[in-house]
Amino acid sequence: MQGKALEWAYEIEGKDFRNAGKVSSKVKEILKELGFDPAFVRGVAIASYEAEMNVVCHAEKGTLHFAILPEALKIVVEDQGPGIPDIALAMQEGYSTAPAEIREMGFGAGMGLPNMKKNTDELNIASTVGKGTVVEMVIRPPLPRE
Amino acid sequence: MQFWEVKGILEAEVLWEPVDLQLEIEIAQAADLMSDVLSQSMGGELLLTGLVNSQVIRTAEMVDIKAIAFVHGKRPDEKTIELARIKGIPLLTTRLFLFEACARLAMRGLTGSSGTIW
Ligand SMILES: Nc1ncnc2c1ncn2[C@@H]1O[C@H](COP(=O)(O)OP(=O)(O)O)[C@@H](O)[C@H]1O
Ligand SMILES: [Mg+2]
């Protein structure tokens, strides 16, 4: 990584549960191939998947932008959807508006946003009700050991 | 314990066998909530679950689950098994209910990961 940015963008379809996770799988593959530390890759994959699932579960469609910057990874997930009226409330563990069919699939426990926070160094959310949401995550790789 | 021992203890059927026939399982997690797996797994577990949708495989892939055992005779559809094949995640299905499956494995020395999280 000589100061050159590597960037990718992937579309996410709302309510497409069969394909949900494909994008984060791709992100994980790229990082693995580039030889990043497995524990780090795992954390990124979890954060990415939670964000991807939120688009699938709560929005109509979205795009995941993924960039490897000189000092960090950046994932920006923007969607067209209902937006989040109260972001502080949505961030609380256990808060969820997920309907029954999503809970039956094992999601909608209201742990996604807190888990994204846990697995990232920075998490910023901007949302406009009726338009959509932008979730930005920055994750810094562990320093290489001497 | 080896994957094959897990199969024996659970009297399970193999839906997809591990590429590494010596695959070692050291810890396990039981969950029907994928949200719990995503927030509580430490990676490397055998996952025992009663859920059989494709998101179970996706979730397992993200957190580096080593193998999955479906309980209560549950069986995922072909597409889901195919996804596990592609991702290299071996699958078992047992007729035992979740509690008994966990209890049998625990009696034979398999542990959970709570201690490493708190
Ligand atoms: N992309 C999004 N668009 C609209 N609402 C969202 C989005 N992401 C999260 N939310 C809202 O925030 C709540 C909490 O999100 P999260 O912590 O991921 O839990 P869960 O997805 O299990 O409900 C959701 O139930 C939903 O109301
Ligand atoms: Mg969520």
Side-chain angles (χ1 to χ4, degrees), chain A residues 3 15 19 31 43 79 85 90 107 121 123 137:
Chain A
K15 305 291 170 298
N19 288 307
L31 292 176
D79 70 51
F107 290 89
D121 294 293
L123 170 66
M137 299 182 279

Side-chain angles (χ1 to χ4, degrees), chain A residues 17-22 24-25 28-29 32 38 41-42 45-46 49-50 53 103-111 115 118-119, chain B residues 32-45 51 53-56 58-64 77 79-80 83 87:
Chain A
F17 291 101
R18 181 55 82 174
N19 288 307
K22 263 195 183 162
S24 303
S25 180
K28 192 171 185 190
E29 261 167 44
K32 263 204 220 161
V41 173
R42 185 175 174 274
I46 291 170
Y49 183 58
E50 292 278 19
M53 282 311 283
R103 287 169 198 264
E104 275 156 25
M105 283 190 309
F107 290 89
M111 297 298 293
N115 203 20
K118 192 176 100 185
N119 284 288
Chain B
D32 279 349
L33 258 185
M34 292 305 110
S35 303
D36 283 349
V37 178
L38 284 164
S39 58
Q40 294 165 5
S41 151
M42 57 177 285
E45 292 98 341
L51 269 193
N53 61 56
S54 59
Q55 291 312 311
V56 175
R58 286 290 179 201
T59 301
E61 174 193 358
M62 299 307 155
V63 305
D64 297 333
D77 63 20
K79 273 191 173 165
T80 301
L83 182 60
K87 297 300 166 190

